[in-house]
Structures are given as C-alpha cells and as structure tokens.
Amino acid sequence: QSSVTLSGVIDVGFEKRFSGDPFKMTPNRNGTSNWTLSGSEDLGGGLKANFQISTSFNADDGSIAAHTINDGLPSPAVTCPSTTSRCNNTSSLGNNGMFVGLSGGFGTVRMGRPVNTLYGNALFANGTKGVSNYDANTLLARDIAGAANTVYVNNAIQYHSPRFSGVQVQLEYAPKESTSGKNGRGLAIRYDEGPISVTFTNYLGATSSTTQKSVNQLAAAYDFGVARVLFTWRDQGGAASNADNSYALGMTAPVGPGLVYVSYNVRELAATDARSVIAGYKYNLSKRTQMYVNVANGNSALNVPGTTPAKSSTGYGFGLQHNF
Amino acid sequence: QSSVTLSGVIDVGFEKRFSGDPFKMTPNRNGTSNWTLSGSEDLGGGLKANFQISTSFNADDGSIAAHTINDGLPSPAVTCPSTTSRCNNTSSLGNNGMFVGLSGGFGTVRMGRPVNTLYGNALFANGTKGVSNYDANTLLARDIAGAANTVYVNNAIQYHSPRFSGVQVQLEYAPKESTSGKNGRGLAIRYDEGPISVTFTNYLGATSSTTQKSVNQLAAAYDFGVARVLFTWRDQGGAASNADNSYALGMTAPVGPGLVYVSYNVRELAATDARSVIAGYKYNLSKRTQMYVNVANGNSALNVPGTTPAKSSTGYGFGLQHNF
Amino acid sequence: QSSVTLSGVIDVGFEKRFSGDPFKMTPNRNGTSNWTLSGSEDLGGGLKANFQISTSFNADDGSIAAHTINDGLPSPAVTCPSTTSRCNNTSSLGNNGMFVGLSGGFGTVRMGRPVNTLYGNALFANGTKGVSNYDANTLLARDIAGAANTVYVNNAIQYHSPRFSGVQVQLEYAPKESTSGKNGRGLAIRYDEGPISVTFTNYLGATSSTTQKSVNQLAAAYDFGVARVLFTWRDQGGAASNADNSYALGMTAPVGPGLVYVSYNVRELAATDARSVIAGYKYNLSKRTQMYVNVANGNSALNVPGTTPAKSSTGYGFGLQHNF
C-alpha cells in the first residue's frame, strides 16, 4: 500500500563509561533505535497532508522510556514509571516524533509531538550521540525548563515558513493542559545557504504554575568541504550569571568510507564548569549499515553517574547501527 | 507481502470544553488515532481466515489508555495505571479491536477483543465523537455494567450469522477468567435493507461476583437521502426507574464536500436528566484527509469534568484527521 | 519497501486447566501471538546485516507481559508490573526476540535480546506449548537461575559458528549491567545431520550478587520418518541431588493434514517429582492457518496454580492460529 512507509533503525553496542563501570551492552549511542510509520498525500493545488508516528526503544532489552505527561506544569519530581497520573507509563507510540499536518506554498504546519524547536535547531557534531553522559545534549539540555528539556514536545503545533533567500521562520506553541499550568512557545529564525547554517531560537517554558523561563540559543555551522564545523550556544534565563550558559563546539569530517566527529562541550556551573570531549568514527558497511566507535573524556565537574567521588573520567564504546 | 495490510488513522486538534477550560490540544475528537494490521486468507471452499490487530493512541503525547483487565468481575474502583494486577499497565496492542477468526457460508466467528455487541449496534450521529464529555457514547455508556461499558470487550467470542432477507443474528460470549467472576454475553438481532437499519441488543454483564445486570438497546436509522436520521435507546436493568434510560437522537447530512452532523443525547438521572447537543462539520480535503469543527452544549446535570459548580456549558473544537 | 518484512502470528483459543477451573479464553497455547519486523541486507563479499524486532502479546486482551529488566542480578522477588525500577512496565518491543547483527563466512553474530542459548537448543515435542502449566518449558525452566529462566535474554551477544560436518558451536555472553551483578554466559555444541540432532549446552547465571549457578542441558532428536522423537534433559547445579534434574520426552508425527504430538515431562522435587503428559493435534486449514486441540494430565506434585489442595488434574484446550 503506497499510503504508508514503514522504516526504522536498530542500534546496539557496548560501552564502559569510566574506570570501575561495568563493560556493558548499551543501545542507541550512534543512532536512535525506532520504528516509524510515515506518509504524504497529495491533496492537489500544491497542498499535501503529512504524518509521522515514530517510536524509539532500547534494543538491548525492549524497554521504552516512560515519560512525563506534559500538562503545562514544570517537570514533577516523580521518577517514571510511577503510579502518579503525571507518568505516561504506557507510552509506546510516537515518543520519537509524531505529527499530522499540512504543507503547501504557505509553509508547513505540524500538530502532535514534533521535534522541540530548540533541539531542532541545535547544531551538534554528532546528533549529541556518543558515550553516555558525555554527549553534547546531556550537557546543554540539563536544567532547561519544562517541555524544552526533551527532544520532542507534547501537545505542540508548529509552523515553518517557506525559505525566502535561505531564511525560514519557525513558530511553536504548546498550550497548557490544565488551568494552573503555563503555555510553552518557541521561535526560531534560520538561515541556510550553501555551506552556511545559522539559527537563533528563543524558547519560553514553565518553571512553576506562575512563572516561565526563557532560553536563548544561537547555533551556526560552516562546511569547509574537508570538514564541517558546528557551534551551539545556550543562555538560560533566570539562572545565576556564572551558571547560565552552555555550549558545544564540534567538527565532522569524511574519512575513508566513513565520518570522523569530535565535540567539545561545556556547561557552566557555580563552581568548576563541567567539560567533556567526545569523538568517534562511523564506518559505513553500506548506505544503511554502520559500525561505530566512540571515546570520551570529562572533567570532575561532569560527574558521570556512578563515578564516586566526582573525578575526571574516560569512557569508550562501539556498536552496530542498521537502518531499514 | 500480500498477507498483511498496514493501515491507520492520525487525528489531532484543539478544543475548549467550557468557559474557564484551557484551550488545549486534544486528539481523537473526529476519528480514533490507530495503527492496524489486518488480513484475510482464502482457505478454499468459501472459507476464509481473518484477523485484525488495531491499536489506538493519543497522537498529542503518545499515551495509550491503560485499561482494566477483564476477569469477569465488575470494573474495580482502581484508576489505571496502578500496580494492582487488574490494571493492564502495559497494554499496547489491540485496544482498538483485535481478533482472529473464520468466515464462510455459515457466517463469521471472531475470537479476541472484538467490538462490543452493544456498541457495534449503537447508531450514533457521529460515531460518538465531538467535544469531549458531550458525546453520545459518554452519556449512554456511563454506569453500564462490566465489559459492556467499553467499546471493545476482552476474552470474547462472537458469531455473526449470514443475512437472510436483511436479518442478521449476532451472539457474543465472554467467559469469566476466574471462578468468582461472572460471564458476559450479548445477543443482537439486526435488520438492514435499503435505507432502513434496525437493531435490538441485550447485554448481560457482571455487577458483583454473584449478580449480573442486563442492558437492552434499541437502535434504528433511516436514510432520507438528503439526511440520515439515527436513534439509539438504552434501558439499564436493575437501576431505579427514573435513572435507567438513556438515548441519542442524531442526524447526518452531506453538505458540499463534507458532512454535517448533530446529535441530541439524554441520560436519565434521579434529579435533573443530563442533556447535551453536539454538532459539527467534516470537510473532506480528500478521500483520506478531513478537517473538522465541533460545537456542543450541555445542561448543568451533564457536569463536564472541570466545571465547578455544575452549570450549563458550551464547548468547541477543530482538528485534522488523516487516514493511511 | 524491500528492506523490511512485516509478519506475525495471532493465536486465540479456549482451555479448562482442571476440574473447577473456569472454561476460559486463553491465547498462545499453540503458537505465540506476535508482530515482527525483520530484514537482511547484502553488504557484499558474503557479508550480511540482519535484524529482527519481534513483539509478542496476548491476543485475548492485548496485554504484553511486563518483564524484569536484566541488570545481571538474580530475578527480584517483585511481581511486575510494579513501580520498582527493576520492572520494565513499559516494555512493548522485542520481547519475542530482537537483535541486530552480521553474518558471513565466519558465522553469525547477534546483539540485543536473542533466544537464550539454553532454550534455543532445547528439543521439545511441541515448542513447549499446550495446556497452560503442563507444558515442558514450565517444568524444565522453573528454578533455573537468572537470565536462563526466560526464552529470550536481555543484553546478550551471541556467536554461532558455521557448520563443519554438521557441528556448530554457539557462544552467548550477557554482561552484567551493574557492578554488583554477575555476567551470564552460555556455551552450546550442536550436531545436525540428516535425521539426527544432538546438542549439549552449559549456562552460567547469577543467583546472588556474589554467586553463579551452572545449568547443563543435553538434548537429542531422531526423525524416523513416520515420527520424530525428541528428548531434553537438564541438570541444575547447586540444587539438592534429589531435586536437580528435569526432562521432557516427546514425539511428533504427521497424521492426515496435520501433526500429532505428545510429551512426557518430569521435574525432580525433594518429595514426589512433578510429572505431566501433554498431547495434541494441529490441523492445517492451510499453510498459514491451523486449528488445534490439546489435552494434558499432571500428578499432584505438578500443583497447577488454582488446584487446591494439590491433586492430580486433567486439562484441555483448543483454538485457532493464523500466521501473516
């Protein structure tokens, strides 16, 4: 049937995060294992209906991350799974991006659980992947308010304008689900032309039932041909001035039948800033199948879960990713 | 592969249920988002093997309703998700209809979690959809015993006879899962000929470990061409005589490239009866894609969750449904 | 799209396990209901990338068994679903076998949640299926340590050598997920040539955070043409000598358009050994669709859940299985 496409990814590997950590099987350190239904229908007159239902999972044990149900309130202290109504214990569809919408000359509209505008415009060297806890997204995303701190955002409608001379405007609105919550919203301006990509994003999320917090993000990339350099910087409103910024500087370069990447990631903290370096090589067995190896180092302030007391640590991993 | 068909629906929109309610994203107010595996195999001699595995979900956050596991006992007071064994916290397949069975000259047999006989023969103006809590099914289904109060029924076997002069007999049997429970069963007689549909259904469900409750339903529809009029009436056995009936009177009419519908729904209560009117328009962008708008009004006894104190309320919604 | 195959099974029937047990709908007593994504990509030079994501479910109510997350520790006393972090309440993919890997002249490597080496080399008369609690796998698997007591094993990497003169070596390694756990590992030698299959398996699993337990399994089968005879024997290390063995002796024989099977199963206990006989007939309506009937008898020590006090019991069942 031509109206739906079935595709996905399965990624399994091994890693050791630090000295003393068990060498263990860890999924999704290069890509995100998922299965996806998607499609596009031509409605005539340049108008299209589009949808996607993409569900990620851990390919080593089949678990699917329980997530907080977005009700417009800030993230609760509960750890999911839990019996509180704020835990979506039974989530199993669309956690990797889900929407239905229309596109045409006016641009694109999506409704559902699309990619967060903040994340969709972050430019990382490796899609934030690599050894667990050292990756760019872990450093940049921590402590960002409400819906903004996950890659996908529930209950959101997004509008992406057409590109005019390479410039696109993106709007996101995630209305609160209860009267005591706060709405989320995102605004991005993006410029893509030839080797250059530049984006600015502002995200406003709830931090309590009466206050919101604003996050600004500037990201840019330039493709030199032999290598692509990428930079993402975030300023978290409402935080102390010595603990409000985080950034990731990365590079990718084609080497042989694969890609080398490296990223240097910093998150400001009141005392010593957390810093990590991740690097790796992705070797293409084919267009759809890839072997990968990762290494990472972090300072004591990175405080990888499981290292006690906090100390500088080095981790590594390798694995296999197959796209279907 | 010709042995399985992959299809589904994704429906996302917005609604405001009453004055003071947040205007928020709400899925499934026109269709039910689902993904479905189905197929039919010709076994020769007119015999066929048929199956369906259809799973519904909320396309705004990916959640899948946790439901009570049917063990032949009446619905427990627990709210799922919960850690009690009566909650199917991990349900994620077939909640939108699942069966395997055979069909042939003798009729059709299905085993699994098919459409409840009571619901399968209800005639609503709009498949019970519209603004949340005002719809016909919410008014008619509330307080109906055991397995009968959900659209699909676990652990059931159903037989549908062939049609003789438009008449079909339907039998359902849902045996208890534990010795202390009670069996469920359904019986329907249905007549469909030209513009006329008439059905009578009796359903017997458990209300405690020793008692059962009987529900009778009469439903009829007539297609006048310019409009189709539909009526469903339920009498709940064992309830007080001033609180045992509920009914829905509806109409659908093709208007332009779409369909208008309206439904008037009443549920008897000991004091004031709950009443609602829902109406809407479904606009076809194509055979597979539809935009819709809904309005609804209810009296104070309808008591839409969130309206405090109970008062008359008006709600509305709109959205987009895509079938794949 | 040729890169992924969608297939599966749906199996629903009825059974009565013993006198006094309700006659009820029970799924999966002949096959295991599942839906499966799988594929194989030719990478050139004889190398292939292979994957499978197979998810089983109960087709009578849509539930999916919550399972313990394998962290290298022995199974906890908790009953899933639960809010403890050791319960994978949200598991919904791959519980019926999931892996990504490579195959070629060197053999086959799989990573993820593959079939347990112990189970993959057990030879049962009927894939352990039949009336619930009487089947061979229930008798043989009980009390086996850690990861070994389930058909599939989380966090495992497996290597299967090519066959040399019918001989294959199989290795499994399931590294612990936490420092206080223990690794699991499996080793099997298998010989398949003409009518003969013989396998020996050793499995080492964790029984506490400091000890491991070893299970040895010998299994053999011979196909006489008119019938195939199968035998599986397990010796559980660390158990008392009068309670450490279990075995299943079975036979399958093609009869008409179907298959007869019978299995005699014994599990040693300190007092009376538990014994069961299961038998059945699978009738092929087509290559993809099968009706089946099962009978079973067990002695008092089998102690089928629900029979109180323990006594000899007889059960039966029948159903329909469709493969898509």
Side-chain angles (χ1 to χ4, degrees):
Chain A
Q1 207 177 358
S2 64
S3 62
V4 54
T5 298
L6 175 58
S7 61
V9 170
I10 181 165
D11 176 348
V12 178
F14 291 87
E15 73 175 9
K16 186 182 176 77
R17 295 172 302 165
F18 53 84
S19 174
D21 189 44
F23 172 80
K24 63 179 175 179
M25 184 169 283
T26 307
N28 303 340
R29 299 321 305 160
N30 192 58
T32 299
S33 299
N34 73 81
W35 71 280
T36 299
L37 301 174
S38 60
S40 187
E41 182 195 8
D42 192 337
L43 300 171
L47 194 65
K48 284 185 179 179
N50 311 295
F51 82 99
Q52 178 186 294
I53 304 163
S54 183
T55 304
S56 63
F57 57 93
N58 294 321
D60 59 343
D61 62 8
S63 60
I64 296 181
H67 65 78
T68 306
I69 295 176
N70 179 14
D71 50 13
L73 294 171
S75 296
V78 301
T79 301
C80 298
S82 156
T83 54
T84 76
S85 61
R86 303 201 60 190
C87 277
N88 183 358
N89 286 342
T90 56
S91 169
S92 62
L93 281 176
N95 58 354
N96 194 50
M98 172 165 57
F99 61 81
V100 61
L102 298 172
S103 63
F106 62 89
T108 299
V109 171
R110 294 188 178 103
M111 299 186 295
R113 182 173 159 83
V115 177
N116 183 327
T117 299
L118 204 60
Y119 189 89
N121 289 293
L123 293 164
F124 301 122
N126 183 32
T128 79
K129 296 292 188 176
V131 184
S132 300
N133 301 120
Y134 296 83
D135 55 274
N137 197 41
T138 298
L139 269 77
L140 270 64
R142 213 183 293 172
D143 295 336
I144 288 181
N149 67 358
T150 58
V151 177
Y152 299 93
V153 55
N154 287 340
N155 304 307
I157 182 168
Q158 284 184 345
Y159 166 71
H160 287 199
S161 78
R163 293 185 191 282
F164 297 108
S165 307
V167 177
Q168 184 184 52
V169 174
Q170 302 176 5
L171 302 173
E172 175 185 316
Y173 177 58
K176 60 189 176 188
E177 295 270 285
S178 72
T179 48
S180 58
K182 282 283 187 184
N183 303 323
R185 71 155 173 69
L187 164 68
I189 298 171
R190 183 168 181 131
Y191 175 74
D192 290 274
E193 194 70 52
I196 303 175
S197 294
V198 182
T199 74
F200 173 78
T201 309
N202 174 264
Y203 194 89
L204 192 71
T207 52
S208 81
S209 60
T210 53
T211 61
Q212 289 172 305
K213 192 185 282 184
S214 176
V215 178
N216 288 309
Q217 175 183 279
L218 185 67
Y222 192 89
D223 194 336
F224 292 94
V226 297
R228 187 165 183 242
V229 174
L230 312 99
F231 179 70
T232 296
W233 170 89
R234 281 185 190 163
D235 180 4
Q236 184 185 338
S241 64
N242 61 349
D244 61 343
N245 293 323
S246 57
Y247 63 87
L249 174 64
M251 189 193 73
T252 63
V255 174
L259 191 82
V260 164
Y261 69 88
V262 59
S263 172
Y264 175 66
N265 316 296
V266 175
R267 174 178 168 238
E268 282 190 353
L269 294 171
T272 309
D273 295 347
R275 293 166 192 279
S276 75
V277 181
I278 60 170
Y281 184 59
K282 301 163 176 245
Y283 177 86
N284 297 314
L285 291 168
S286 76
K287 281 179 65 176
R288 296 203 283 124
T289 305
Q290 201 167 54
M291 298 186 79
Y292 59 88
V293 57
N294 301 316
V295 294
N297 179 267
N299 69 353
S300 62
L302 185 66
N303 201 8
V304 178
T307 57
T308 310
K311 58 182 175 183
S312 169
S313 53
T314 300
Y316 66 91
F318 56 88
L320 178 66
Q321 178 181 335
H322 178 70
N323 300 304
F324 56 90
Chain B
Q1 204 176 359
S2 64
S3 62
V4 54
T5 297
L6 176 58
S7 61
V9 170
I10 180 165
D11 176 347
V12 178
F14 291 87
E15 73 174 11
K16 184 181 176 79
R17 295 172 301 165
F18 51 85
S19 174
D21 190 43
F23 172 80
K24 63 180 174 177
M25 185 171 281
T26 307
N28 302 340
R29 298 322 304 163
N30 192 59
T32 300
S33 300
N34 73 79
W35 71 281
T36 299
L37 301 174
S38 60
S40 187
E41 182 193 11
D42 192 337
L43 300 170
L47 195 63
K48 285 185 179 180
N50 311 296
F51 83 98
Q52 178 186 295
I53 305 163
S54 182
T55 305
S56 64
F57 57 93
N58 294 320
D60 59 342
D61 62 9
S63 60
I64 295 181
H67 66 79
T68 306
I69 295 176
N70 179 13
D71 50 12
L73 294 172
S75 296
V78 300
T79 300
C80 299
S82 156
T83 54
T84 76
S85 62
R86 304 201 60 191
C87 278
N88 184 359
N89 286 343
T90 56
S91 170
S92 62
L93 281 176
N95 58 355
N96 194 50
M98 173 165 56
F99 61 82
V100 62
L102 299 171
S103 63
F106 62 89
T108 300
V109 172
R110 295 188 177 102
M111 298 186 295
R113 182 173 159 82
V115 177
N116 183 326
T117 299
L118 205 59
Y119 189 89
N121 289 294
L123 293 165
F124 301 124
N126 183 36
T128 81
K129 295 293 189 177
V131 183
S132 300
N133 301 120
Y134 295 82
D135 56 272
N137 197 42
T138 298
L139 267 78
L140 270 63
R142 212 182 293 170
D143 295 335
I144 288 181
N149 67 358
T150 59
V151 178
Y152 299 94
V153 54
N154 288 340
N155 304 306
I157 182 168
Q158 284 183 345
Y159 167 72
H160 287 198
S161 78
R163 292 185 192 281
F164 297 108
S165 308
V167 176
Q168 183 184 52
V169 174
Q170 303 177 4
L171 302 173
E172 174 185 316
Y173 179 58
K176 63 189 174 186
E177 295 271 286
S178 72
T179 47
S180 59
K182 283 282 187 185
N183 303 323
R185 72 158 171 67
L187 164 69
I189 299 171
R190 181 167 183 134
Y191 174 75
D192 290 274
E193 194 70 51
I196 304 176
S197 293
V198 182
T199 74
F200 174 77
T201 309
N202 174 263
Y203 195 88
L204 192 70
T207 53
S208 81
S209 59
T210 52
T211 61
Q212 288 171 306
K213 191 184 283 185
S214 176
V215 178
N216 288 309
Q217 175 183 279
L218 185 68
Y222 192 89
D223 195 336
F224 291 94
V226 297
R228 189 166 182 241
V229 175
L230 312 98
F231 180 70
T232 297
W233 170 88
R234 281 186 191 163
D235 179 3
Q236 183 185 339
S241 64
N242 61 348
D244 61 343
N245 293 323
S246 57
Y247 63 88
L249 173 64
M251 190 194 70
T252 63
V255 174
L259 191 81
V260 164
Y261 69 88
V262 60
S263 173
Y264 175 66
N265 317 295
V266 175
R267 176 180 169 235
E268 282 189 352
L269 294 171
T272 309
D273 295 348
R275 295 165 191 278
S276 74
V277 180
I278 60 171
Y281 184 59
K282 302 164 176 241
Y283 178 85
N284 297 313
L285 292 168
S286 76
K287 282 179 64 174
R288 296 203 283 123
T289 304
Q290 201 167 55
M291 298 187 79
Y292 60 88
V293 57
N294 302 316
V295 293
N297 179 267
N299 70 353
S300 62
L302 186 66
N303 201 8
V304 178
T307 56
T308 312
K311 58 182 175 182
S312 169
S313 53
T314 300
Y316 66 91
F318 56 88
L320 178 66
Q321 177 181 336
H322 177 70
N323 301 302
F324 56 90
Chain C
Q1 207 175 359
S2 65
S3 61
V4 55
T5 297
L6 175 58
S7 60
V9 171
I10 180 164
D11 176 347
V12 178
F14 290 87
E15 71 175 11
K16 185 182 174 77
R17 294 172 303 165
F18 52 85
S19 174
D21 190 44
F23 172 80
K24 63 179 176 180
M25 186 171 281
T26 307
N28 303 341
R29 299 322 303 162
N30 191 59
T32 299
S33 300
N34 72 81
W35 71 280
T36 299
L37 301 174
S38 61
S40 187
E41 181 194 11
D42 192 337
L43 300 171
L47 195 64
K48 285 185 179 180
N50 310 296
F51 83 98
Q52 179 187 293
I53 304 163
S54 184
T55 305
S56 63
F57 57 94
N58 295 320
D60 60 342
D61 63 8
S63 61
I64 296 181
H67 65 77
T68 306
I69 295 176
N70 180 13
D71 50 13
L73 294 171
S75 296
V78 301
T79 300
C80 298
S82 156
T83 53
T84 76
S85 61
R86 302 200 62 190
C87 276
N88 184 359
N89 286 343
T90 56
S91 170
S92 63
L93 281 176
N95 58 354
N96 194 50
M98 173 166 55
F99 61 83
V100 60
L102 299 171
S103 63
F106 62 88
T108 299
V109 171
R110 295 189 178 101
M111 298 186 295
R113 181 172 160 83
V115 177
N116 182 327
T117 298
L118 205 58
Y119 188 89
N121 290 293
L123 293 164
F124 301 123
N126 182 34
T128 80
K129 295 292 187 177
V131 184
S132 300
N133 300 121
Y134 295 83
D135 56 276
N137 197 41
T138 298
L139 269 78
L140 270 64
R142 213 182 294 171
D143 295 336
I144 289 181
N149 67 359
T150 59
V151 178
Y152 300 94
V153 55
N154 287 340
N155 304 308
I157 182 168
Q158 284 184 345
Y159 166 71
H160 287 199
S161 79
R163 293 183 191 283
F164 297 109
S165 308
V167 177
Q168 183 185 52
V169 174
Q170 303 177 4
L171 302 173
E172 175 186 316
Y173 178 58
K176 62 188 175 188
E177 295 271 286
S178 72
T179 48
S180 59
K182 283 283 186 185
N183 304 323
R185 74 156 170 67
L187 164 68
I189 299 172
R190 182 169 183 132
Y191 174 76
D192 290 273
E193 194 71 50
I196 303 175
S197 294
V198 182
T199 74
F200 174 77
T201 309
N202 174 263
Y203 194 90
L204 193 70
T207 52
S208 81
S209 60
T210 53
T211 61
Q212 289 171 307
K213 190 186 283 185
S214 176
V215 178
N216 288 309
Q217 175 183 280
L218 185 67
Y222 192 89
D223 194 336
F224 292 94
V226 296
R228 190 167 181 239
V229 175
L230 312 98
F231 179 70
T232 297
W233 170 88
R234 281 184 190 164
D235 179 4
Q236 183 186 340
S241 64
N242 61 350
D244 61 343
N245 293 324
S246 57
Y247 64 86
L249 173 64
M251 189 194 72
T252 63
V255 174
L259 192 81
V260 163
Y261 68 89
V262 59
S263 173
Y264 175 66
N265 316 295
V266 176
R267 175 180 167 234
E268 282 190 353
L269 294 169
T272 310
D273 296 347
R275 294 166 193 278
S276 75
V277 180
I278 60 170
Y281 184 60
K282 302 163 176 243
Y283 177 85
N284 297 313
L285 291 168
S286 75
K287 282 179 65 176
R288 297 203 282 123
T289 304
Q290 203 166 52
M291 297 187 80
Y292 59 88
V293 57
N294 301 316
V295 293
N297 179 267
N299 70 354
S300 62
L302 185 66
N303 201 8
V304 178
T307 56
T308 311
K311 58 181 176 182
S312 170
S313 53
T314 300
Y316 66 91
F318 56 88
L320 178 67
Q321 177 181 337
H322 177 71
N323 301 301
F324 55 90

